[in-house]
C-alpha cells in the first residue's frame, strides 16, 4: 500500500505540471465526442469512424501531454521520455516508477475518454437514443474504455525508450506492420460485414451487455498486466549510451 501511495505522490508532480493541458483536455474531449455523435450512424463513413474511434480512444489523451513528458528523439536512433530517464537515475524503487507511469497515463486517459463518451451520448439524436438504451450505451462505453486502458498501456512502456541506432529499418518495419495491419483489419471488417468495428461494439452492447463487459474488462486488465511485466523486464536491459 505504501508503494502505491509513493507512486501516486510521484505521479502527482507530473500531473500538477500539466494542469493547463487538463483544462484543454475537457474542451478537446467534448468537441470530439459531439463530432462522433454526428457521424457514428452514417453508413458511408463507417471506416473513417472506426479509424478515428480507435485512434482517439487509444492515444487521444497522449497527444495533449506537455512535450517535456512525451516520448522524444534523444539521439540518432534513440527514443525515450527524458522525464523517465531522470526518474530512473534517482534512488527510487523501480516498481514505484513503473506504477507512477501508469497512474499518470490513466489520470489523463480515463477522464478524457469518459468525457468524450458523455458528450457523444448527449449529442446523439433522439432516434438513436431510442434504439440504444442507456444500459446498452453503458456497456458500449465500458467496451471502449477498456480498449483505451488496454491499448493505451503501451504508452508507459514506450516511456522507457528504445534504441534503433543500429537498425533503423526495424523501426520503419514495425511502424508499417503495426499501422498497416490495423488499417487492413478495419477495411476487411467493413468489407465483409454490414457493420464496422464501432457498429459491432454497439451490437454486442445491445445483445450481450454483461458478456461484452466481462470480456472487455478482462482484455483491458490483461493488457495492463502484460505491459507492466514488459516494463519490469525491459528497464534493466536498456543502455541508452551505447
Amino acid at each position: 500500500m505504501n508503494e502505491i501511495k509513493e507512486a501516486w505522490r510521484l505521479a502527482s508532480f507530473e500531473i500538477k505540471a500539466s494542469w493547463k493541458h487538463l483544462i484543454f483536455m475537457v474542451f478537446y474531449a467534448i468537441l470530439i465526442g459531439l463530432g462522433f455523435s454526428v457521424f457514428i450512424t452514417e453508413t458511408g463513413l463507417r471506416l473513417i469512424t472506426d479509424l478515428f474511434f480507435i485512434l482517439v480512444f487509444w492515444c487521444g489523451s497522449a497527444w495533449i501531454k506537455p512535450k517535456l513528458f512525451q516520448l522524444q528523439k534523444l539521439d540518432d536512433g534513440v527514443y525515450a521520455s527524458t522525464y523517465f530517464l531522470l526518474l530512473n537515475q534517482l534512488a527510487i524503487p523501480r516498481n514505484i516508477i513503473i506504477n507512477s507511469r501508469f497512474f499518470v497515463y490513466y489520470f489523463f486517459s480515463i477522464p478524457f475518454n469518459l468525457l468524450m463518451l458523455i458528450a457523444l451520448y448527449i449529442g446523439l439524436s433522439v432516434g438513436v437514443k431510442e434504439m440504444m438504451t442507456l444500459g446498452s450505451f453503458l456497456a458500449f462505453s465500458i467496451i471502449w474504455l477498456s480498449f483505451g486502458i488496454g491499448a493505451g498501456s503501451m504508452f508507459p512502456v514506450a516511456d522507457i525508450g528504445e534504441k534503433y541506432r543500429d537498425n533503423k529499418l526495424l523501426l520503419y518495419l514495425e511502424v508499417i506492420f503495426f499501422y498497416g495491419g490495423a488499417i487492413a483489419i478495419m477495411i476487411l471488417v467493413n468489407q465483409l460485414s454490414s457493420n464496422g468495428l464501432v457498429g459491432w461494439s454497439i451490437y454486442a452492447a445491445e445483445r450481450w451487455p454483461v458478456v461484452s463487459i466481462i470480456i472487455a474488462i478482462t482484455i483491458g486488465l490483461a493488457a495492463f498486466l502484460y505491459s507492466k511485466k514488459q516494463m519490469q523486464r525491459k528497464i534493466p536491459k536498456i543502455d541508452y549510451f551505447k
Side-chain angles (χ1 to χ4, degrees):
M1 184 59 71
N2 286 335
E3 192 175 274
I4 297 299
K5 287 181 180 178
E6 287 300 315
W8 172 249
R9 184 168 170 270
L10 184 61
S12 67
F13 291 113
E14 182 174 339
I15 292 168
K16 288 175 182 176
S18 309
W19 68 270
K20 291 181 180 179
H21 293 260
L22 289 172
I23 295 172
F24 172 70
M25 181 183 79
V26 174
F27 295 101
Y28 177 40
I30 291 172
L31 183 63
I32 291 178
L34 292 174
F36 276 142
S37 70
V38 176
F39 298 109
I40 196 170
T41 55
E42 294 291 332
T43 305
L45 298 173
R46 286 185 320 199
L47 181 58
I48 295 175
T49 302
D50 285 353
L51 177 61
F52 278 97
F53 237 74
I54 288 172
L55 280 175
V56 170
F57 278 90
W58 170 36
C59 53
S61 63
W63 295 333
I64 61 178
K65 286 179 65 178
K67 188 175 181 181
L68 173 65
F69 303 118
Q70 291 185 11
L71 192 69
Q72 298 179 42
K73 184 177 181 180
L74 304 179
D75 195 359
D76 184 30
V78 180
Y79 297 82
S81 164
T82 54
Y83 185 65
F84 171 80
L85 295 183
L86 172 64
L87 294 178
N88 200 37
Q89 291 172 17
L90 300 176
I92 303 173
R94 186 173 297 148
N95 276 341
I96 290 177
I97 295 176
I98 291 172
N99 287 328
S100 74
R101 305 318 303 151
F102 284 101
F103 276 143
V104 169
Y105 177 74
Y106 292 138
F107 184 89
F108 284 94
S109 172
I110 295 175
F112 174 82
N113 289 339
L114 190 58
L115 276 171
M116 188 169 55
L117 285 163
I118 292 170
L120 169 61
Y121 187 75
I122 291 172
L124 290 175
S125 65
V126 176
V128 176
K129 286 180 180 177
E130 288 177 352
M131 290 189 298
M132 185 181 236
T133 65
L134 185 58
S136 296
F137 189 80
L138 178 61
F140 171 81
S141 298
I142 292 173
I143 290 170
W144 282 98
L145 284 171
S146 298
F147 168 78
I149 288 170
S153 294
M154 66 170 287
F155 285 101
V157 180
D159 282 349
I160 298 172
E162 192 64 77
K163 294 194 302 181
Y164 293 98
R165 183 183 286 122
D166 301 323
N167 196 349
K168 289 185 179 180
L169 178 61
L170 178 62
L171 171 62
Y172 300 141
L173 289 175
E174 284 183 1
V175 171
I176 292 170
F177 178 78
F178 182 81
Y179 289 103
I183 292 172
I185 290 171
M186 283 187 283
I187 293 173
L188 192 64
V189 170
N190 276 273
Q191 291 294 321
L192 298 180
S193 70
S194 57
N195 281 316
L197 294 175
V198 175
W200 278 113
S201 65
I202 293 173
Y203 181 78
E206 290 175 340
R207 292 294 299 273
W208 312 289
V210 176
V211 174
S212 299
I213 288 172
I214 292 172
I215 292 174
I217 291 176
T218 301
I219 292 174
L221 181 60
F224 158 68
L225 293 174
Y226 174 77
S227 297
K228 190 173 179 179
K229 269 292 188 198
Q230 283 287 91
M231 291 185 76
Q232 292 168 337
R233 181 189 63 82
K234 195 174 177 183
I235 289 175
K237 295 182 178 181
I238 294 183
D239 184 350
Y240 302 93
F241 305 106
K242 278 189 178 181

mmCIF file of all heavy atoms in Angstrom, residues 68-108:
data_model
loop_
_atom_site.group_PDB
_atom_site.id
_atom_site.type_symbol
_atom_site.label_atom_id
_atom_site.label_comp_id
_atom_site.label_asym_id
_atom_site.label_seq_id
_atom_site.Cartn_x
_atom_site.Cartn_y
_atom_site.Cartn_z
ATOM 1 N N LEU A 68 7.538 18.046 -22.594
ATOM 2 C CA LEU A 68 8.577 17.607 -21.674
ATOM 3 C C LEU A 68 8.394 16.156 -21.252
ATOM 4 O O LEU A 68 9.366 15.428 -21.030
ATOM 5 C CB LEU A 68 8.561 18.508 -20.424
ATOM 6 C CG LEU A 68 9.474 18.089 -19.259
ATOM 7 C CD1 LEU A 68 10.939 18.178 -19.682
ATOM 8 C CD2 LEU A 68 9.207 18.963 -18.040
ATOM 9 N N PHE A 69 7.128 15.694 -21.155
ATOM 10 C CA PHE A 69 6.835 14.357 -20.664
ATOM 11 C C PHE A 69 6.561 13.350 -21.792
ATOM 12 O O PHE A 69 6.272 12.195 -21.516
ATOM 13 C CB PHE A 69 5.628 14.403 -19.731
ATOM 14 C CG PHE A 69 5.812 15.340 -18.564
ATOM 15 C CD1 PHE A 69 4.978 16.435 -18.394
ATOM 16 C CD2 PHE A 69 6.827 15.133 -17.651
ATOM 17 C CE1 PHE A 69 5.149 17.302 -17.329
ATOM 18 C CE2 PHE A 69 7.011 15.994 -16.576
ATOM 19 C CZ PHE A 69 6.167 17.085 -16.418
ATOM 20 N N GLN A 70 6.638 13.794 -23.023
ATOM 21 C CA GLN A 70 6.348 12.904 -24.143
ATOM 22 C C GLN A 70 7.616 12.178 -24.603
ATOM 23 O O GLN A 70 8.737 12.577 -24.281
ATOM 24 C CB GLN A 70 5.755 13.698 -25.310
ATOM 25 C CG GLN A 70 4.364 14.233 -25.045
ATOM 26 C CD GLN A 70 3.774 14.908 -26.264
ATOM 27 O OE1 GLN A 70 4.305 14.808 -27.361
ATOM 28 N NE2 GLN A 70 2.659 15.595 -26.078
ATOM 29 N N LEU A 71 7.384 11.131 -25.384
ATOM 30 C CA LEU A 71 8.488 10.396 -25.993
ATOM 31 C C LEU A 71 9.199 11.316 -26.978
ATOM 32 O O LEU A 71 8.559 11.992 -27.779
ATOM 33 C CB LEU A 71 7.934 9.161 -26.722
ATOM 34 C CG LEU A 71 8.938 8.113 -27.175
ATOM 35 C CD1 LEU A 71 9.535 7.395 -25.980
ATOM 36 C CD2 LEU A 71 8.250 7.109 -28.092
ATOM 37 N N GLN A 72 10.521 11.352 -26.911
ATOM 38 C CA GLN A 72 11.288 12.253 -27.768
ATOM 39 C C GLN A 72 12.486 11.528 -28.362
ATOM 40 O O GLN A 72 12.965 10.537 -27.808
ATOM 41 C CB GLN A 72 11.786 13.460 -26.970
ATOM 42 C CG GLN A 72 10.679 14.323 -26.396
ATOM 43 C CD GLN A 72 11.237 15.488 -25.611
ATOM 44 O OE1 GLN A 72 12.197 16.127 -26.025
ATOM 45 N NE2 GLN A 72 10.641 15.773 -24.457
ATOM 46 N N LYS A 73 12.959 12.068 -29.467
ATOM 47 C CA LYS A 73 14.188 11.559 -30.066
ATOM 48 C C LYS A 73 15.356 12.190 -29.324
ATOM 49 O O LYS A 73 15.554 13.403 -29.357
ATOM 50 C CB LYS A 73 14.246 11.908 -31.551
ATOM 51 C CG LYS A 73 15.454 11.317 -32.265
ATOM 52 C CD LYS A 73 15.418 11.625 -33.748
ATOM 53 C CE LYS A 73 16.621 11.006 -34.437
ATOM 54 N NZ LYS A 73 16.620 11.292 -35.897
ATOM 55 N N LEU A 74 16.132 11.373 -28.627
ATOM 56 C CA LEU A 74 17.221 11.878 -27.799
ATOM 57 C C LEU A 74 18.541 11.933 -28.559
ATOM 58 O O LEU A 74 19.376 12.788 -28.328
ATOM 59 C CB LEU A 74 17.395 10.993 -26.560
ATOM 60 C CG LEU A 74 16.153 10.809 -25.689
ATOM 61 C CD1 LEU A 74 16.487 9.903 -24.522
ATOM 62 C CD2 LEU A 74 15.630 12.149 -25.198
ATOM 63 N N ASP A 75 18.713 10.975 -29.448
ATOM 64 C CA ASP A 75 19.966 10.866 -30.181
ATOM 65 C C ASP A 75 19.644 10.145 -31.478
ATOM 66 O O ASP A 75 18.500 9.741 -31.704
ATOM 67 C CB ASP A 75 20.990 10.083 -29.352
ATOM 68 C CG ASP A 75 22.405 10.252 -29.880
ATOM 69 O OD1 ASP A 75 22.569 10.962 -30.892
ATOM 70 O OD2 ASP A 75 23.336 9.682 -29.301
ATOM 71 N N ASP A 76 20.614 9.973 -32.305
ATOM 72 C CA ASP A 76 20.394 9.278 -33.567
ATOM 73 C C ASP A 76 19.950 7.839 -33.310
ATOM 74 O O ASP A 76 20.746 6.994 -32.908
ATOM 75 C CB ASP A 76 21.678 9.283 -34.396
ATOM 76 C CG ASP A 76 21.465 8.652 -35.763
ATOM 77 O OD1 ASP A 76 20.337 8.737 -36.279
ATOM 78 O OD2 ASP A 76 22.422 8.074 -36.300
ATOM 79 N N GLY A 77 18.668 7.579 -33.507
ATOM 80 C CA GLY A 77 18.151 6.232 -33.327
ATOM 81 C C GLY A 77 17.758 5.889 -31.920
ATOM 82 O O GLY A 77 17.429 4.734 -31.640
ATOM 83 N N VAL A 78 17.754 6.856 -30.974
ATOM 84 C CA VAL A 78 17.378 6.592 -29.592
ATOM 85 C C VAL A 78 16.150 7.426 -29.243
ATOM 86 O O VAL A 78 16.153 8.643 -29.406
ATOM 87 C CB VAL A 78 18.520 6.932 -28.612
ATOM 88 C CG1 VAL A 78 18.078 6.650 -27.177
ATOM 89 C CG2 VAL A 78 19.763 6.132 -28.951
ATOM 90 N N TYR A 79 15.090 6.755 -28.755
ATOM 91 C CA TYR A 79 13.835 7.426 -28.402
ATOM 92 C C TYR A 79 13.469 7.064 -26.968
ATOM 93 O O TYR A 79 13.511 5.897 -26.584
ATOM 94 C CB TYR A 79 12.702 6.981 -29.337
ATOM 95 C CG TYR A 79 12.929 7.341 -30.784
ATOM 96 C CD1 TYR A 79 13.737 6.550 -31.602
ATOM 97 C CD2 TYR A 79 12.335 8.474 -31.342
ATOM 98 C CE1 TYR A 79 13.949 6.877 -32.923
ATOM 99 C CE2 TYR A 79 12.541 8.801 -32.670
ATOM 100 C CZ TYR A 79 13.346 8.005 -33.455
ATOM 101 O OH TYR A 79 13.565 8.330 -34.767
ATOM 102 N N ALA A 80 13.095 8.083 -26.181
ATOM 103 C CA ALA A 80 12.698 7.829 -24.793
ATOM 104 C C ALA A 80 12.086 9.099 -24.217
ATOM 105 O O ALA A 80 12.132 10.172 -24.829
ATOM 106 C CB ALA A 80 13.893 7.391 -23.956
ATOM 107 N N SER A 81 11.488 8.966 -23.042
ATOM 108 C CA SER A 81 10.988 10.116 -22.293
ATOM 109 C C SER A 81 12.110 10.631 -21.400
ATOM 110 O O SER A 81 12.639 9.886 -20.570
ATOM 111 C CB SER A 81 9.783 9.708 -21.433
ATOM 112 O OG SER A 81 9.526 10.681 -20.439
ATOM 113 N N THR A 82 12.480 11.903 -21.576
ATOM 114 C CA THR A 82 13.555 12.465 -20.762
ATOM 115 C C THR A 82 13.166 12.485 -19.279
ATOM 116 O O THR A 82 14.022 12.334 -18.409
ATOM 117 C CB THR A 82 13.890 13.897 -21.216
ATOM 118 O OG1 THR A 82 12.692 14.695 -21.216
ATOM 119 C CG2 THR A 82 14.483 13.894 -22.616
ATOM 120 N N TYR A 83 11.880 12.648 -19.008
ATOM 121 C CA TYR A 83 11.427 12.659 -17.620
ATOM 122 C C TYR A 83 11.602 11.273 -16.989
ATOM 123 O O TYR A 83 12.020 11.153 -15.836
ATOM 124 C CB TYR A 83 9.972 13.097 -17.542
ATOM 125 C CG TYR A 83 9.452 13.252 -16.134
ATOM 126 C CD1 TYR A 83 9.966 14.224 -15.289
ATOM 127 C CD2 TYR A 83 8.443 12.425 -15.638
ATOM 128 C CE1 TYR A 83 9.507 14.364 -13.988
ATOM 129 C CE2 TYR A 83 7.973 12.564 -14.339
ATOM 130 C CZ TYR A 83 8.513 13.547 -13.518
ATOM 131 O OH TYR A 83 8.051 13.682 -12.233
ATOM 132 N N PHE A 84 11.300 10.234 -17.769
ATOM 133 C CA PHE A 84 11.519 8.876 -17.256
ATOM 134 C C PHE A 84 13.001 8.632 -16.991
ATOM 135 O O PHE A 84 13.371 8.030 -15.971
ATOM 136 C CB PHE A 84 10.999 7.826 -18.237
ATOM 137 C CG PHE A 84 11.404 6.430 -17.856
ATOM 138 C CD1 PHE A 84 10.702 5.742 -16.879
ATOM 139 C CD2 PHE A 84 12.515 5.824 -18.435
ATOM 140 C CE1 PHE A 84 11.101 4.465 -16.489
ATOM 141 C CE2 PHE A 84 12.914 4.558 -18.055
ATOM 142 C CZ PHE A 84 12.197 3.876 -17.082
ATOM 143 N N LEU A 85 13.868 9.102 -17.883
ATOM 144 C CA LEU A 85 15.303 8.921 -17.679
ATOM 145 C C LEU A 85 15.763 9.590 -16.390
ATOM 146 O O LEU A 85 16.603 9.049 -15.664
ATOM 147 C CB LEU A 85 16.078 9.498 -18.867
ATOM 148 C CG LEU A 85 15.870 8.815 -20.221
ATOM 149 C CD1 LEU A 85 16.760 9.445 -21.269
ATOM 150 C CD2 LEU A 85 16.131 7.325 -20.121
ATOM 151 N N LEU A 86 15.197 10.775 -16.106
ATOM 152 C CA LEU A 86 15.531 11.469 -14.859
ATOM 153 C C LEU A 86 15.109 10.639 -13.647
ATOM 154 O O LEU A 86 15.892 10.441 -12.709
ATOM 155 C CB LEU A 86 14.846 12.836 -14.829
ATOM 156 C CG LEU A 86 14.931 13.608 -13.513
ATOM 157 C CD1 LEU A 86 16.384 13.963 -13.196
ATOM 158 C CD2 LEU A 86 14.074 14.877 -13.574
ATOM 159 N N LEU A 87 13.867 10.141 -13.670
ATOM 160 C CA LEU A 87 13.375 9.332 -12.550
ATOM 161 C C LEU A 87 14.213 8.067 -12.373
ATOM 162 O O LEU A 87 14.502 7.648 -11.244
ATOM 163 C CB LEU A 87 11.909 8.947 -12.786
ATOM 164 C CG LEU A 87 10.876 10.070 -12.797
ATOM 165 C CD1 LEU A 87 9.485 9.507 -13.105
ATOM 166 C CD2 LEU A 87 10.851 10.818 -11.468
ATOM 167 N N ASN A 88 14.607 7.473 -13.484
ATOM 168 C CA ASN A 88 15.339 6.212 -13.434
ATOM 169 C C ASN A 88 16.743 6.377 -12.852
ATOM 170 O O ASN A 88 17.347 5.407 -12.394
ATOM 171 C CB ASN A 88 15.423 5.615 -14.844
ATOM 172 C CG ASN A 88 15.722 4.128 -14.823
ATOM 173 O OD1 ASN A 88 15.250 3.405 -13.955
ATOM 174 N ND2 ASN A 88 16.512 3.678 -15.783
ATOM 175 N N GLN A 89 17.252 7.613 -12.858
ATOM 176 C CA GLN A 89 18.579 7.863 -12.310
ATOM 177 C C GLN A 89 18.546 8.194 -10.817
ATOM 178 O O GLN A 89 19.586 8.252 -10.172
ATOM 179 C CB GLN A 89 19.242 9.017 -13.068
ATOM 180 C CG GLN A 89 19.597 8.662 -14.509
ATOM 181 C CD GLN A 89 20.082 9.862 -15.300
ATOM 182 O OE1 GLN A 89 20.446 10.885 -14.725
ATOM 183 N NE2 GLN A 89 20.096 9.741 -16.616
ATOM 184 N N LEU A 90 17.333 8.426 -10.301
ATOM 185 C CA LEU A 90 17.199 8.756 -8.888
ATOM 186 C C LEU A 90 17.064 7.482 -8.048
ATOM 187 O O LEU A 90 16.776 6.401 -8.575
ATOM 188 C CB LEU A 90 15.970 9.652 -8.672
ATOM 189 C CG LEU A 90 15.991 10.995 -9.417
ATOM 190 C CD1 LEU A 90 14.674 11.730 -9.199
ATOM 191 C CD2 LEU A 90 17.167 11.861 -8.949
ATOM 192 N N ALA A 91 17.254 7.632 -6.755
ATOM 193 C CA ALA A 91 17.175 6.472 -5.851
ATOM 194 C C ALA A 91 15.719 6.181 -5.493
ATOM 195 O O ALA A 91 15.300 6.289 -4.339
ATOM 196 C CB ALA A 91 17.983 6.752 -4.592
ATOM 197 N N ILE A 92 14.953 5.819 -6.531
ATOM 198 C CA ILE A 92 13.536 5.498 -6.358
ATOM 199 C C ILE A 92 13.338 4.041 -6.766
ATOM 200 O O ILE A 92 13.801 3.629 -7.845
ATOM 201 C CB ILE A 92 12.642 6.400 -7.240
ATOM 202 C CG1 ILE A 92 12.901 7.877 -6.921
ATOM 203 C CG2 ILE A 92 11.167 6.074 -7.032
ATOM 204 C CD1 ILE A 92 12.188 8.834 -7.859
ATOM 205 N N PRO A 93 12.681 3.231 -5.933
ATOM 206 C CA PRO A 93 12.442 1.826 -6.305
ATOM 207 C C PRO A 93 11.761 1.718 -7.675
ATOM 208 O O PRO A 93 10.875 2.513 -8.008
ATOM 209 C CB PRO A 93 11.531 1.317 -5.185
ATOM 210 C CG PRO A 93 11.869 2.182 -4.015
ATOM 211 C CD PRO A 93 12.177 3.543 -4.590
ATOM 212 N N ARG A 94 12.180 0.740 -8.427
ATOM 213 C CA ARG A 94 11.701 0.594 -9.801
ATOM 214 C C ARG A 94 10.177 0.436 -9.890
ATOM 215 O O ARG A 94 9.531 1.010 -10.764
ATOM 216 C CB ARG A 94 12.388 -0.615 -10.452
ATOM 217 C CG ARG A 94 12.076 -0.770 -11.938
ATOM 218 C CD ARG A 94 12.912 -1.870 -12.537
ATOM 219 N NE ARG A 94 14.332 -1.519 -12.447
ATOM 220 C CZ ARG A 94 15.302 -2.404 -12.303
ATOM 221 N NH1 ARG A 94 15.020 -3.682 -12.193
ATOM 222 N NH2 ARG A 94 16.562 -2.019 -12.248
ATOM 223 N N ASN A 95 9.587 -0.341 -8.976
ATOM 224 C CA ASN A 95 8.137 -0.546 -9.024
ATOM 225 C C ASN A 95 7.362 0.746 -8.810
ATOM 226 O O ASN A 95 6.283 0.934 -9.370
ATOM 227 C CB ASN A 95 7.707 -1.583 -7.983
ATOM 228 C CG ASN A 95 7.867 -3.002 -8.491
ATOM 229 O OD1 ASN A 95 7.962 -3.225 -9.694
ATOM 230 N ND2 ASN A 95 7.937 -3.961 -7.591
ATOM 231 N N ILE A 96 7.909 1.636 -7.987
ATOM 232 C CA ILE A 96 7.256 2.924 -7.760
ATOM 233 C C ILE A 96 7.275 3.751 -9.040
ATOM 234 O O ILE A 96 6.269 4.373 -9.410
ATOM 235 C CB ILE A 96 7.932 3.681 -6.599
ATOM 236 C CG1 ILE A 96 7.631 2.968 -5.273
ATOM 237 C CG2 ILE A 96 7.461 5.139 -6.544
ATOM 238 C CD1 ILE A 96 8.310 3.594 -4.071
ATOM 239 N N ILE A 97 8.398 3.746 -9.727
ATOM 240 C CA ILE A 97 8.491 4.478 -11.002
ATOM 241 C C ILE A 97 7.509 3.893 -12.012
ATOM 242 O O ILE A 97 6.772 4.632 -12.686
ATOM 243 C CB ILE A 97 9.926 4.420 -11.566
ATOM 244 C CG1 ILE A 97 10.892 5.145 -10.631
ATOM 245 C CG2 ILE A 97 9.978 5.036 -12.959
ATOM 246 C CD1 ILE A 97 12.342 5.052 -11.054
ATOM 247 N N ILE A 98 7.478 2.572 -12.123
ATOM 248 C CA ILE A 98 6.587 1.910 -13.081
ATOM 249 C C ILE A 98 5.127 2.235 -12.782
ATOM 250 O O ILE A 98 4.366 2.629 -13.680
ATOM 251 C CB ILE A 98 6.821 0.383 -13.067
ATOM 252 C CG1 ILE A 98 8.190 0.055 -13.663
ATOM 253 C CG2 ILE A 98 5.712 -0.346 -13.832
ATOM 254 C CD1 ILE A 98 8.595 -1.395 -13.521
ATOM 255 N N ASN A 99 4.715 2.081 -11.529
ATOM 256 C CA ASN A 99 3.323 2.379 -11.174
ATOM 257 C C ASN A 99 2.981 3.847 -11.411
ATOM 258 O O ASN A 99 1.863 4.163 -11.824
ATOM 259 C CB ASN A 99 3.074 2.025 -9.705
ATOM 260 C CG ASN A 99 3.010 0.529 -9.465
ATOM 261 O OD1 ASN A 99 2.578 -0.225 -10.327
ATOM 262 N ND2 ASN A 99 3.437 0.076 -8.291
ATOM 263 N N SER A 100 3.928 4.729 -11.157
ATOM 264 C CA SER A 100 3.663 6.158 -11.370
ATOM 265 C C SER A 100 3.398 6.463 -12.833
ATOM 266 O O SER A 100 2.570 7.312 -13.158
ATOM 267 C CB SER A 100 4.836 7.000 -10.866
ATOM 268 O OG SER A 100 5.956 6.924 -11.723
ATOM 269 N N ARG A 101 4.095 5.756 -13.742
ATOM 270 C CA ARG A 101 3.890 5.990 -15.181
ATOM 271 C C ARG A 101 2.471 5.589 -15.586
ATOM 272 O O ARG A 101 1.833 6.259 -16.399
ATOM 273 C CB ARG A 101 4.910 5.197 -16.020
ATOM 274 C CG ARG A 101 6.369 5.408 -15.717
ATOM 275 C CD ARG A 101 6.713 6.859 -15.481
ATOM 276 N NE ARG A 101 6.348 7.692 -16.618
ATOM 277 C CZ ARG A 101 6.016 8.971 -16.511
ATOM 278 N NH1 ARG A 101 5.971 9.564 -15.338
ATOM 279 N NH2 ARG A 101 5.712 9.663 -17.587
ATOM 280 N N PHE A 102 1.966 4.486 -15.033
ATOM 281 C CA PHE A 102 0.593 4.077 -15.335
ATOM 282 C C PHE A 102 -0.417 5.024 -14.698
ATOM 283 O O PHE A 102 -1.448 5.345 -15.299
ATOM 284 C CB PHE A 102 0.347 2.638 -14.870
ATOM 285 C CG PHE A 102 0.955 1.608 -15.776
ATOM 286 C CD1 PHE A 102 2.160 0.986 -15.446
ATOM 287 C CD2 PHE A 102 0.339 1.255 -16.967
ATOM 288 C CE1 PHE A 102 2.719 0.040 -16.285
ATOM 289 C CE2 PHE A 102 0.896 0.308 -17.815
ATOM 290 C CZ PHE A 102 2.095 -0.298 -17.475
ATOM 291 N N PHE A 103 -0.140 5.481 -13.480
ATOM 292 C CA PHE A 103 -1.033 6.439 -12.831
ATOM 293 C C PHE A 103 -1.195 7.696 -13.681
ATOM 294 O O PHE A 103 -2.303 8.197 -13.874
ATOM 295 C CB PHE A 103 -0.492 6.830 -11.450
ATOM 296 C CG PHE A 103 -0.852 5.868 -10.359
ATOM 297 C CD1 PHE A 103 0.052 5.583 -9.343
ATOM 298 C CD2 PHE A 103 -2.091 5.246 -10.323
ATOM 299 C CE1 PHE A 103 -0.260 4.693 -8.326
ATOM 300 C CE2 PHE A 103 -2.416 4.354 -9.315
ATOM 301 C CZ PHE A 103 -1.505 4.080 -8.315
ATOM 302 N N VAL A 104 -0.082 8.212 -14.173
ATOM 303 C CA VAL A 104 -0.121 9.434 -14.980
ATOM 304 C C VAL A 104 -0.928 9.205 -16.251
ATOM 305 O O VAL A 104 -1.796 10.008 -16.597
ATOM 306 C CB VAL A 104 1.307 9.905 -15.333
ATOM 307 C CG1 VAL A 104 1.257 11.015 -16.382
ATOM 308 C CG2 VAL A 104 2.022 10.401 -14.093
ATOM 309 N N TYR A 105 -0.633 8.094 -16.949
ATOM 310 C CA TYR A 105 -1.339 7.845 -18.209
ATOM 311 C C TYR A 105 -2.845 7.700 -17.979
ATOM 312 O O TYR A 105 -3.647 8.325 -18.674
ATOM 313 C CB TYR A 105 -0.805 6.591 -18.906
ATOM 314 C CG TYR A 105 -1.587 6.314 -20.155
ATOM 315 C CD1 TYR A 105 -1.413 7.096 -21.287
ATOM 316 C CD2 TYR A 105 -2.572 5.319 -20.174
ATOM 317 C CE1 TYR A 105 -2.189 6.890 -22.418
ATOM 318 C CE2 TYR A 105 -3.341 5.116 -21.304
ATOM 319 C CZ TYR A 105 -3.141 5.897 -22.426
ATOM 320 O OH TYR A 105 -3.922 5.705 -23.546
ATOM 321 N N TYR A 106 -3.242 6.911 -16.984
ATOM 322 C CA TYR A 106 -4.667 6.682 -16.753
ATOM 323 C C TYR A 106 -5.363 7.921 -16.181
ATOM 324 O O TYR A 106 -6.562 8.101 -16.389
ATOM 325 C CB TYR A 106 -4.869 5.481 -15.828
ATOM 326 C CG TYR A 106 -4.473 4.167 -16.476
ATOM 327 C CD1 TYR A 106 -3.771 3.194 -15.767
ATOM 328 C CD2 TYR A 106 -4.785 3.909 -17.803
ATOM 329 C CE1 TYR A 106 -3.404 1.998 -16.363
ATOM 330 C CE2 TYR A 106 -4.414 2.717 -18.407
ATOM 331 C CZ TYR A 106 -3.723 1.765 -17.685
ATOM 332 O OH TYR A 106 -3.352 0.592 -18.291
ATOM 333 N N PHE A 107 -4.619 8.774 -15.478
ATOM 334 C CA PHE A 107 -5.205 10.008 -14.974
ATOM 335 C C PHE A 107 -5.673 10.888 -16.126
ATOM 336 O O PHE A 107 -6.691 11.578 -16.017
ATOM 337 C CB PHE A 107 -4.190 10.765 -14.111
ATOM 338 C CG PHE A 107 -4.748 12.002 -13.475
ATOM 339 C CD1 PHE A 107 -5.371 11.944 -12.238
ATOM 340 C CD2 PHE A 107 -4.658 13.234 -14.118
ATOM 341 C CE1 PHE A 107 -5.900 13.092 -11.650
ATOM 342 C CE2 PHE A 107 -5.175 14.386 -13.546
ATOM 343 C CZ PHE A 107 -5.802 14.316 -12.308
ATOM 344 N N PHE A 108 -4.916 10.874 -17.219
ATOM 345 C CA PHE A 108 -5.319 11.622 -18.405
ATOM 346 C C PHE A 108 -6.313 10.831 -19.251
ATOM 347 O O PHE A 108 -7.323 11.371 -19.714
ATOM 348 C CB PHE A 108 -4.087 11.954 -19.268
ATOM 349 C CG PHE A 108 -3.250 13.062 -18.728
ATOM 350 C CD1 PHE A 108 -2.157 12.788 -17.922
ATOM 351 C CD2 PHE A 108 -3.538 14.382 -19.024
ATOM 352 C CE1 PHE A 108 -1.377 13.814 -17.418
ATOM 353 C CE2 PHE A 108 -2.758 15.417 -18.530
ATOM 354 C CZ PHE A 108 -1.669 15.132 -17.718
#
